[in-house]
Coordinates of all heavy atoms in Angstrom, one line a residue:
M30 N 1.4 -16.2 11.8 CA 0.4 -15.3 11.3 C 0.9 -13.8 11.5 O 0.6 -13.0 10.7 CB -0.9 -15.5 12.1 CG -2.0 -14.7 11.7 SD -2.5 -15.2 10.0 CE -3.9 -14.1 9.8
N31 N 1.7 -13.6 12.6 CA 2.2 -12.2 12.8 C 3.2 -11.8 11.7 O 3.2 -10.6 11.4 CB 2.9 -12.1 14.1 CG 1.9 -12.1 15.3 OD1 0.7 -11.8 15.1 ND2 2.4 -12.3 16.5
A32 N 3.9 -12.8 11.1 CA 4.8 -12.5 10.0 C 4.1 -11.9 8.8 O 4.5 -11.0 8.1 CB 5.7 -13.7 9.7
V33 N 2.9 -12.5 8.6 CA 2.1 -12.1 7.4 C 1.5 -10.7 7.7 O 1.5 -9.8 6.8 CB 1.0 -13.1 7.1 CG1 0.1 -12.6 6.0 CG2 1.6 -14.5 6.7
L34 N 1.0 -10.5 8.9 CA 0.4 -9.2 9.2 C 1.4 -8.1 9.2 O 1.1 -7.0 8.9 CB -0.3 -9.3 10.6 CG -1.6 -10.0 10.6 CD1 -2.2 -10.1 12.0 CD2 -2.7 -9.4 9.7
K35 N 2.6 -8.4 9.6 CA 3.7 -7.4 9.7 C 4.0 -6.8 8.3 O 4.3 -5.6 8.2 CB 5.0 -8.1 10.2 CG 6.1 -7.1 10.5 CD 7.2 -7.8 11.2 CE 8.3 -6.8 11.6 NZ 9.4 -7.4 12.3
Y36 N 3.8 -7.6 7.3 CA 4.1 -7.1 5.9 C 2.8 -6.7 5.1 O 2.9 -6.5 3.9 CB 4.9 -8.1 5.1 CG 6.3 -8.2 5.8 CD1 6.6 -9.3 6.5 CD2 7.2 -7.2 5.7 CE1 7.9 -9.4 7.1 CE2 8.5 -7.3 6.2 CZ 8.8 -8.4 6.9 OH 10.0 -8.5 7.5
L37 N 1.7 -6.7 5.8 CA 0.4 -6.3 5.1 C 0.5 -4.9 4.5 O 0.0 -4.7 3.4 CB -0.8 -6.5 6.1 CG -2.1 -6.2 5.5 CD1 -2.5 -7.2 4.4 CD2 -3.2 -6.2 6.6
G38 N 1.1 -4.0 5.2 CA 1.2 -2.6 4.7 C 2.0 -2.5 3.5 O 1.7 -1.8 2.5
V39 N 3.1 -3.3 3.4 CA 3.9 -3.3 2.2 C 3.2 -3.9 1.0 O 3.2 -3.4 -0.1 CB 5.2 -4.2 2.4 CG1 6.0 -4.3 1.2 CG2 6.0 -3.5 3.5
F40 N 2.4 -5.0 1.3 CA 1.5 -5.5 0.2 C 0.5 -4.5 -0.3 O 0.4 -4.4 -1.5 CB 0.8 -6.8 0.7 CG -0.1 -7.4 -0.3 CD1 0.5 -8.1 -1.4 CD2 -1.4 -7.4 -0.2 CE1 -0.3 -8.6 -2.4 CE2 -2.3 -7.9 -1.1 CZ -1.7 -8.6 -2.2
I41 N -0.1 -3.8 0.6 CA -1.1 -2.7 0.1 C -0.4 -1.7 -0.7 O -0.9 -1.2 -1.7 CB -1.8 -2.2 1.3 CG1 -2.7 -3.2 2.0 CG2 -2.7 -1.0 1.0 CD1 -3.3 -2.8 3.3
L42 N 0.8 -1.3 -0.2 CA 1.6 -0.3 -0.9 C 1.9 -0.8 -2.4 O 1.8 0.0 -3.3 CB 2.9 0.0 -0.2 CG 3.7 1.2 -0.5 CD1 4.1 1.9 0.7 CD2 4.9 0.8 -1.3
L43 N 2.3 -2.0 -2.5 CA 2.6 -2.6 -3.8 C 1.4 -2.6 -4.7 O 1.5 -2.4 -5.9 CB 3.3 -3.9 -3.7 CG 4.7 -3.9 -3.1 CD1 5.2 -5.4 -2.9 CD2 5.6 -3.2 -4.0
V44 N 0.2 -2.9 -4.1 CA -1.0 -2.9 -4.9 C -1.3 -1.5 -5.4 O -1.7 -1.3 -6.6 CB -2.2 -3.4 -4.1 CG1 -3.5 -3.2 -4.8 CG2 -2.0 -4.9 -3.8
G45 N -1.0 -0.5 -4.6 CA -1.2 0.9 -5.0 C -0.2 1.3 -6.2 O -0.6 2.0 -7.1
V46 N 1.0 0.8 -6.1 CA 1.9 1.0 -7.2 C 1.4 0.4 -8.5 O 1.5 1.0 -9.6 CB 3.3 0.5 -6.8 CG1 4.3 0.6 -8.0 CG2 3.9 1.4 -5.7
A47 N 0.9 -0.8 -8.4 CA 0.4 -1.5 -9.5 C -0.8 -0.8 -10.1 O -1.0 -0.7 -11.3 CB 0.0 -3.0 -9.2
V48 N -1.7 -0.2 -9.3 CA -2.8 0.6 -9.7 C -2.4 1.8 -10.5 O -3.0 2.2 -11.5 CB -3.7 1.0 -8.5 CG1 -4.7 2.0 -8.9 CG2 -4.4 -0.2 -8.0
L49 N -1.2 2.3 -10.1 CA -0.7 3.5 -10.9 C 0.1 3.1 -12.1 O 0.0 3.7 -13.2 CB 0.2 4.3 -10.0 CG -0.5 5.1 -8.9 CD1 0.6 5.7 -8.0 CD2 -1.4 6.1 -9.4
A50 N 0.8 1.9 -12.1 CA 1.7 1.5 -13.2 C 0.9 1.0 -14.3 O 1.3 1.3 -15.5 CB 2.7 0.5 -12.6
V51 N -0.1 0.1 -14.1 CA -0.8 -0.5 -15.2 C -1.4 0.5 -16.2 O -1.2 0.4 -17.4 CB -1.8 -1.6 -14.7 CG1 -2.6 -2.2 -15.8 CG2 -1.0 -2.7 -14.0
P52 N -2.2 1.4 -15.7 CA -2.8 2.4 -16.6 C -1.8 3.3 -17.2 O -2.0 3.8 -18.4 CB -3.8 3.2 -15.8 CG -4.0 2.4 -14.6 CD -2.8 1.6 -14.3
A53 N -0.7 3.6 -16.5 CA 0.3 4.5 -17.1 C 1.0 3.8 -18.3 O 1.3 4.5 -19.2 CB 1.3 4.8 -16.0
I54 N 1.2 2.5 -18.2 CA 1.8 1.8 -19.3 C 0.9 1.7 -20.4 O 1.2 1.8 -21.6 CB 2.3 0.4 -18.8 CG1 3.4 0.5 -17.8 CG2 2.7 -0.5 -20.0 CD1 3.8 -0.8 -17.1
G55 N -0.4 1.5 -20.1 CA -1.4 1.3 -21.2 C -1.9 2.7 -21.8 O -2.5 2.7 -22.8
G56 N -1.6 3.8 -21.1 CA -1.9 5.1 -21.6 C -3.3 5.6 -21.3 O -3.7 6.6 -21.9
G57 N -3.9 5.0 -20.3 CA -5.3 5.4 -20.0 C -5.5 5.9 -18.6 O -6.4 5.5 -17.9
I58 N -4.5 6.6 -18.0 CA -4.6 7.0 -16.6 C -5.6 8.2 -16.5 O -5.7 9.1 -17.3 CB -3.2 7.4 -16.1 CG1 -3.2 7.4 -14.6 CG2 -2.7 8.7 -16.6 CD1 -1.9 7.1 -14.0
T59 N -6.4 8.1 -15.4 CA -7.4 9.1 -15.1 C -7.2 9.5 -13.7 O -6.4 9.0 -12.9 CB -8.8 8.5 -15.3 OG1 -9.0 7.5 -14.3 CG2 -9.1 8.0 -16.7
N60 N -8.0 10.5 -13.3 CA -7.9 11.0 -11.9 C -8.4 10.0 -10.9 O -7.9 9.9 -9.8 CB -8.8 12.3 -11.7 CG -8.1 13.5 -12.3 OD1 -6.9 13.5 -12.5 ND2 -8.9 14.5 -12.6
T61 N -9.3 9.1 -11.3 CA -9.7 8.0 -10.4 C -8.6 7.1 -10.1 O -8.4 6.7 -9.0 CB -10.9 7.2 -11.1 OG1 -11.9 8.1 -11.4 CG2 -11.4 6.2 -10.2
H62 N -7.8 6.7 -11.2 CA -6.6 5.8 -11.0 C -5.6 6.5 -10.0 O -5.0 5.9 -9.1 CB -5.9 5.5 -12.3 CG -6.8 4.6 -13.2 ND1 -7.2 5.1 -14.4 CD2 -7.2 3.4 -13.0 CE1 -7.9 4.1 -15.0 NE2 -7.9 3.0 -14.1
L63 N -5.4 7.8 -10.2 CA -4.4 8.5 -9.4 C -4.9 8.6 -7.9 O -4.1 8.4 -7.0 CB -4.2 9.9 -10.0 CG -3.5 10.0 -11.3 CD1 -3.6 11.5 -11.8 CD2 -2.1 9.5 -11.2
T64 N -6.2 8.8 -7.7 CA -6.7 8.9 -6.4 C -6.6 7.6 -5.6 O -6.2 7.5 -4.5 CB -8.1 9.4 -6.4 OG1 -8.2 10.7 -7.1 CG2 -8.7 9.6 -5.0
I65 N -7.1 6.5 -6.3 CA -7.0 5.2 -5.7 C -5.6 4.8 -5.4 O -5.3 4.2 -4.4 CB -7.8 4.2 -6.6 CG1 -9.3 4.5 -6.6 CG2 -7.6 2.8 -6.1 CD1 -10.1 3.7 -7.6
G66 N -4.7 5.0 -6.4 CA -3.3 4.6 -6.2 C -2.7 5.3 -5.1 O -2.0 4.8 -4.2
L67 N -2.9 6.6 -5.0 CA -2.3 7.4 -3.9 C -2.9 7.0 -2.6 O -2.1 6.9 -1.6 CB -2.6 8.9 -4.2 CG -2.1 9.9 -3.1 CD1 -0.5 9.8 -3.0 CD2 -2.6 11.3 -3.3
S68 N -4.2 6.8 -2.5 CA -4.8 6.3 -1.2 C -4.2 5.0 -0.7 O -3.9 4.9 0.4 CB -6.3 6.2 -1.4 OG -6.9 7.4 -1.8
L69 N -4.0 4.1 -1.7 CA -3.5 2.8 -1.3 C -2.0 2.9 -0.8 O -1.6 2.3 0.1 CB -3.6 1.8 -2.4 CG -5.0 1.2 -2.7 CD1 -5.0 0.4 -4.0 CD2 -5.4 0.4 -1.6
I70 N -1.2 3.8 -1.5 CA 0.2 4.0 -1.1 C 0.3 4.6 0.3 O 1.0 4.2 1.1 CB 0.9 4.8 -2.2 CG1 1.1 3.9 -3.5 CG2 2.2 5.3 -1.7 CD1 1.6 4.7 -4.6
V71 N -0.6 5.6 0.5 CA -0.5 6.3 1.8 C -1.0 5.3 2.9 O -0.3 5.2 4.0 CB -1.4 7.6 1.8 CG1 -1.6 8.1 3.2 CG2 -0.7 8.6 0.9
F72 N -2.1 4.6 2.7 CA -2.6 3.7 3.7 C -1.6 2.5 4.0 O -1.4 2.1 5.1 CB -4.0 3.2 3.4 CG -5.1 4.2 3.6 CD1 -6.0 4.5 2.6 CD2 -5.1 5.0 4.8 CE1 -7.0 5.4 2.8 CE2 -6.1 5.9 4.9 CZ -7.0 6.2 3.9
G73 N -1.0 2.1 2.9 CA 0.0 1.0 3.0 C 1.2 1.5 3.8 O 1.7 0.7 4.6
Y74 N 1.7 2.7 3.5 CA 2.8 3.2 4.3 C 2.5 3.4 5.7 O 3.3 2.9 6.6 CB 3.2 4.6 3.6 CG 4.4 5.2 4.3 CD1 5.7 4.7 4.2 CD2 4.2 6.4 5.0 CE1 6.7 5.3 4.8 CE2 5.3 7.0 5.6 CZ 6.5 6.5 5.5 OH 7.6 7.1 6.1
L75 N 1.4 4.0 6.0 CA 1.0 4.2 7.4 C 0.7 2.8 8.1 O 1.0 2.6 9.3 CB -0.2 5.1 7.5 CG 0.0 6.5 7.1 CD1 -1.3 7.3 7.1 CD2 1.0 7.2 7.9
G76 N 0.1 1.9 7.4 CA -0.2 0.6 7.9 C 1.1 -0.1 8.3 O 1.1 -0.9 9.3
H77 N 2.1 0.0 7.4 CA 3.3 -0.7 7.7 C 4.0 -0.1 8.9 O 4.5 -0.9 9.7 CB 4.3 -0.5 6.5 CG 5.6 -1.1 6.6 ND1 5.7 -2.5 6.7 CD2 6.8 -0.6 6.8 CE1 7.0 -2.8 6.8 NE2 7.7 -1.7 6.9
I78 N 3.9 1.1 9.2 CA 4.5 1.7 10.4 C 3.7 1.3 11.6 O 4.3 0.9 12.6 CB 4.5 3.3 10.3 CG1 5.5 3.7 9.2 CG2 4.8 3.9 11.6 CD1 5.4 5.2 8.8
V79 N 2.4 1.4 11.5 CA 1.6 1.1 12.7 C 1.7 -0.4 13.0 O 1.9 -0.8 14.2 CB 0.1 1.5 12.5 CG1 -0.8 0.9 13.5 CG2 0.0 3.0 12.4
L80 N 1.5 -1.3 12.0 CA 1.6 -2.7 12.3 C 3.0 -3.1 12.7 O 3.2 -4.1 13.5 CB 1.2 -3.5 11.0 CG -0.3 -3.5 10.7 CD1 -0.5 -4.2 9.4 CD2 -1.1 -4.1 11.8
G81 N 4.0 -2.5 12.2 CA 5.4 -2.7 12.7 C 5.6 -2.5 14.1 O 6.3 -3.2 14.9
K82 N 5.0 -1.4 14.6 CA 5.1 -1.0 16.0 C 4.2 -1.9 16.9 O 4.6 -2.3 18.0 CB 4.7 0.4 16.3 CG 5.7 1.4 15.7 CD 5.4 2.8 16.1 CE 6.5 3.7 15.5 NZ 6.4 5.1 16.1
I83 N 3.1 -2.3 16.4 CA 2.2 -3.2 17.2 C 2.7 -4.6 17.3 O 2.7 -5.2 18.4 CB 0.8 -3.2 16.6 CG1 0.1 -1.8 16.8 CG2 -0.1 -4.3 17.3 CD1 -1.2 -1.7 16.1
L84 N 3.2 -5.1 16.2 CA 3.7 -6.5 16.1 C 5.2 -6.6 16.3 O 5.8 -7.5 15.7 CB 3.2 -7.1 14.8 CG 1.7 -7.2 14.5 CD1 1.5 -7.6 13.1 CD2 1.0 -8.0 15.6
K85 N 5.8 -5.7 17.0 CA 7.2 -5.7 17.2 C 7.7 -7.1 17.8 O 7.1 -7.5 18.8 CB 7.6 -4.6 18.2 CG 9.1 -4.3 18.2 CD 9.5 -3.2 19.1 CE 8.8 -1.9 18.7 NZ 9.2 -0.8 19.6
S86 N 8.6 -7.7 17.1 CA 9.1 -9.0 17.5 C 10.4 -9.0 18.2 O 11.3 -8.4 17.7 CB 9.1 -10.0 16.4 OG 7.9 -10.1 15.7

């Protein structure tokens, strides 16, 4: 279970990238997409750092 939690931040980061990429490819990107994508990327990055330190193996 710790192995899955250790990479939860990376998964959230990739979801943020997908939120930004899909509308960009389709041509319908809005400020809402940008805000949600940026938030997920920042929280995923910080989560990866924090969970990596907490779950140090």
